[in-house]
Short mmCIF file of all heavy atoms in Angstrom, two decimals:
data_model
loop_
_atom_site.label_atom_id
_atom_site.label_comp_id
_atom_site.label_asym_id
_atom_site.label_seq_id
_atom_site.Cartn_x
_atom_site.Cartn_y
_atom_site.Cartn_z
N HIS R 240 133.51 126.32 75.52
CA HIS R 240 134.95 126.61 75.54
C HIS R 240 135.60 126.43 76.88
O HIS R 240 136.83 126.46 77.00
CB HIS R 240 135.20 128.02 75.01
CG HIS R 240 134.67 128.26 73.63
ND1 HIS R 240 135.12 127.58 72.53
CD2 HIS R 240 133.68 129.10 73.20
CE1 HIS R 240 134.46 127.97 71.45
NE2 HIS R 240 133.58 128.89 71.84
N LEU R 241 134.82 126.29 77.93
CA LEU R 241 135.37 126.14 79.28
C LEU R 241 134.95 124.79 79.83
O LEU R 241 133.75 124.56 80.03
CB LEU R 241 134.87 127.28 80.18
CG LEU R 241 135.25 128.69 79.75
CD1 LEU R 241 134.47 129.73 80.53
CD2 LEU R 241 136.74 128.92 79.89
N THR R 242 135.88 123.93 80.05
CA THR R 242 135.57 122.56 80.47
C THR R 242 136.03 122.24 81.89
O THR R 242 135.93 121.10 82.33
CB THR R 242 136.17 121.54 79.49
OG1 THR R 242 137.59 121.75 79.43
CG2 THR R 242 135.57 121.69 78.10
N GLY R 243 136.53 123.24 82.59
CA GLY R 243 136.95 123.06 83.97
C GLY R 243 136.72 124.32 84.76
O GLY R 243 136.56 125.41 84.21
N HIS R 244 136.68 124.19 86.07
CA HIS R 244 136.61 125.36 86.95
C HIS R 244 137.87 126.18 86.71
O HIS R 244 138.96 125.65 86.54
CB HIS R 244 136.50 124.92 88.40
CG HIS R 244 135.45 123.89 88.63
ND1 HIS R 244 134.11 124.10 88.42
CD2 HIS R 244 135.54 122.58 89.06
CE1 HIS R 244 133.41 123.01 88.70
NE2 HIS R 244 134.26 122.07 89.08
N THR R 245 137.73 127.51 86.71
CA THR R 245 138.84 128.33 86.22
C THR R 245 138.85 129.73 86.84
O THR R 245 137.82 130.23 87.27
CB THR R 245 138.78 128.43 84.70
OG1 THR R 245 139.93 129.11 84.21
CG2 THR R 245 137.54 129.22 84.26
N LEU R 246 140.04 130.31 86.85
CA LEU R 246 140.18 131.70 87.25
C LEU R 246 139.43 132.61 86.27
O LEU R 246 139.45 132.37 85.06
CB LEU R 246 141.65 132.12 87.31
CG LEU R 246 142.46 131.61 88.51
CD1 LEU R 246 143.95 131.80 88.24
CD2 LEU R 246 142.05 132.33 89.77
N ILE R 247 138.83 133.64 86.79
CA ILE R 247 138.09 134.58 85.94
C ILE R 247 139.03 135.72 85.54
O ILE R 247 139.54 136.45 86.41
CB ILE R 247 136.87 135.14 86.66
CG1 ILE R 247 135.91 134.02 87.05
CG2 ILE R 247 136.15 136.16 85.77
CD1 ILE R 247 134.72 134.46 87.91
N ASP R 248 139.27 135.82 84.24
CA ASP R 248 139.99 136.97 83.69
C ASP R 248 139.13 137.57 82.60
O ASP R 248 137.95 137.19 82.44
CB ASP R 248 141.37 136.53 83.17
CG ASP R 248 141.30 135.41 82.13
OD1 ASP R 248 140.20 135.20 81.56
OD2 ASP R 248 142.33 134.76 81.87
N ALA R 249 139.68 138.49 81.83
CA ALA R 249 138.87 139.18 80.82
C ALA R 249 138.35 138.21 79.76
O ALA R 249 137.19 138.32 79.32
CB ALA R 249 139.74 140.27 80.16
N ARG R 250 139.19 137.23 79.38
CA ARG R 250 138.75 136.25 78.38
C ARG R 250 137.59 135.42 78.91
O ARG R 250 136.59 135.22 78.22
CB ARG R 250 139.93 135.36 77.96
CG ARG R 250 139.51 134.17 77.09
CD ARG R 250 140.70 133.26 76.78
NE ARG R 250 140.26 132.02 76.18
CZ ARG R 250 139.90 130.95 76.90
NH1 ARG R 250 139.92 130.97 78.23
NH2 ARG R 250 139.49 129.85 76.26
N VAL R 251 137.73 134.89 80.12
CA VAL R 251 136.69 134.05 80.70
C VAL R 251 135.42 134.86 80.90
O VAL R 251 134.32 134.37 80.60
CB VAL R 251 137.18 133.44 82.03
CG1 VAL R 251 136.04 132.80 82.79
CG2 VAL R 251 138.30 132.44 81.78
#
Side-chain angles (χ1 to χ4, degrees):
H240 302 297
L241 299 169
T242 57
H244 311 297
T245 186
L246 284 166
I247 300 174
D248 56 18
R250 171 183 169 273
V251 169

